[in-house]
Amino acid sequence: MREALRQAELALAAGEVPVGAVVVRGDEILARAYNRREQLADPTAHAEILALREAGRKLGGWRLLETAVYVTVEPCAMCAGALIQARVGLLVFGARDPKGGAAGSLVNLVQFPGFNHRLPVIEGVMAAECARLMRDFFAVRRRRQQRGEVAELAEGARLEIE
């Protein structure tokens, strides 16, 4: 999870929502990524999706059965669906997302009995640190909006925690 947090900090420095993800098989990190939606102008460029793509390339296939995905924040519905489709073996996340989490907070897609693959989940790993990054990011964004500053960070502006 520490490496996922490092990735989230890179996202923060790039002005992205600070979420980081790491795909691991055994003791080997196969892939690491952070949110890059603004940077890539891609609504699917979430940390989990980018990390799954890289792990698939590295392994030469889309089935990631013997892997664990560590992510700083509970995956959204899109990312939870991607974890299911990739046949990931384990999901480990830090902070819950009560407004969009799809691994137990809002819905639980990763363990939905109707799907052909379900993931075991470990939650709350380094939750305080993961939640702090998100809280700080959105606090700064709200202050900027209140001051009438441009909230959009797509042009590569760096977000500084005040």
Side-chain angles (χ1 to χ4, degrees), residues 11-16 136-141 143-144 147 149 153 156-162:
L12 182 67
E16 298 278 356
D136 290 351
F137 174 83
F138 286 108
V140 169
R141 182 173 272 188
R143 282 196 299 274
R144 286 183 170 185
R147 291 191 304 243
E149 295 178 23
L153 299 172
R158 183 181 166 100
L159 179 70
E160 297 289 336
I161 298 298
E162 299 167 350

Side-chain angles (χ1 to χ4, degrees), residues 21-25 28-32 51-52 55 64 67-70:
V22 177
V23 180
V24 176
R25 183 176 64 180
E28 179 187 9
I29 293 178
L30 297 173
R32 51 179 63 87
L52 290 173
L64 304 178
T67 64
V69 173
Y70 291 78

Side-chain angles (χ1 to χ4, degrees), residues 69-133:
V69 173
Y70 291 78
V71 62
T72 56
V73 178
E74 180 181 3
C76 69
M78 175 182 69
C79 294
L83 295 167
I84 294 163
Q85 292 300 316
R87 310 300 194 265
V88 166
L90 173 67
L91 168 63
V92 180
F93 71 85
R96 280 185 162 249
D97 180 359
K99 293 183 179 182
S105 288
L106 191 59
V107 295
N108 193 348
L109 294 180
V110 297
Q111 296 178 340
F112 183 72
F115 292 142
N116 65 337
H117 181 73
R118 288 174 286 291
L119 290 81
V121 176
I122 298 171
E123 67 172 273
V125 176
M126 301 182 75
E129 297 93 330
C130 296
R132 181 189 51 76
L133 277 176

Side-chain angles (χ1 to χ4, degrees), residues 40-57:
L40 298 176
D42 178 354
T44 69
H46 289 205
E48 301 95 322
I49 301 292
L50 297 172
L52 290 173
R53 287 177 183 160
E54 180 60 28
R57 279 191 293 271

